[in-house]
Amino acid sequence: MDYIFKSKIGNQETKAKLLEQINLIPTNPLVEENQNIIHTDWNLPDEMHREYATLFLEIIRPHLEKVTSLLHCKFFKIHNFWFQKYGSEGHFGWHTHPGAHYSNIYYLECPNGGGTKFKNIDVTCEEGDVISFPAFLPHESPPFLSKSPKTIISFNCDFGIYPLK
């Protein structure tokens, strides 16, 4: 059984609306040794209002319901979500997502070559794709040279048969 799942979601209208709502959040760059992100809400307080949340959660639901079924589970639970916008040479180094069953990435804007890289696994993603993969898989967003921005919305979730506490 393959444990990496990919679906096409959204359209140009939802893309434009999500980008508009994301841009309501004041610019918050995250530039450190392992990352170069021009705007994110990852490090902002969880209780902060995120205008894009309602639309985002609505458009990813069918994908998560499909994954729930394919895993022979009864429910999914989203722990957290955040967006990241990368400019030219933007990147996020190798990492995993401990404490979650699955990590997920929705490619809202994705110039050619802007997908996620996995160790020893070849997965190609493009704009409009959402990918779900086991959270323990090392992955990175390698530097890319596009003049167009790359914007993703990431989230962690669990799938289960019995309700989690």
Side-chain angles (χ1 to χ4, degrees):
M1 177 178 213
D2 187 1
Y3 291 100
I4 297 177
F5 305 96
K6 184 168 73 168
S7 300
K8 186 69 78 178
I9 63 171
N11 55 37
Q12 289 300 315
E13 184 181 329
T14 56
K15 172 187 171 181
K17 188 70 172 170
L18 284 167
L19 288 170
E20 176 185 306
Q21 293 172 346
I22 282 171
N23 287 330
L24 294 174
I25 296 172
T27 302
N28 181 38
L30 189 57
V31 180
E32 297 174 356
E33 181 180 335
N34 196 36
Q35 52 202 348
N36 182 5
I37 300 166
I38 61 173
H39 190 27
T40 185
D41 62 349
W42 177 81
N43 57 348
L44 298 177
D46 291 340
E47 59 276 358
M48 186 188 95
H49 177 70
R50 288 162 167 80
E51 188 70 31
Y52 72 94
T54 301
L55 178 57
F56 171 65
L57 295 171
E58 175 185 314
I59 66 170
I60 62 166
R61 178 171 286 284
H63 169 77
L64 290 175
E65 288 172 346
K66 180 176 95 175
V67 174
T68 301
S69 176
L70 291 169
L71 291 173
H72 305 289
C73 291
K74 295 192 184 286
F75 72 92
F76 65 87
K77 178 182 178 186
I78 297 174
H79 294 282
N80 54 4
F81 58 91
W82 62 97
F83 75 86
Q84 293 180 174
K85 185 171 191 167
Y86 300 87
S88 182
E89 298 187 34
H91 65 278
F92 193 117
W94 290 105
H95 64 285
T96 61
H97 294 240
H101 294 164
Y102 268 73
S103 294
N104 311 265
I105 304 168
Y106 172 43
Y107 297 90
L108 189 55
E109 294 180 294
C110 188
N112 191 23
T116 301
K117 183 177 176 183
F118 294 87
K119 290 195 179 218
N120 305 316
I121 300 172
D122 187 26
V123 178
T124 303
C125 292
E126 59 186 27
E127 190 168 295
D129 286 343
V130 61
I131 183 172
S132 298
F133 54 92
F136 64 83
L137 290 178
H139 58 284
E140 72 168 344
S141 182
F144 69 106
L145 303 176
S146 174
K147 292 182 182 183
S148 300
K150 170 183 166 181
T151 304
I152 62 167
I153 302 175
S154 294
F155 60 102
N156 293 322
C157 67
D158 290 342
F159 295 93
I161 298 171
Y162 302 107
L164 298 174
K165 293 182 181 187

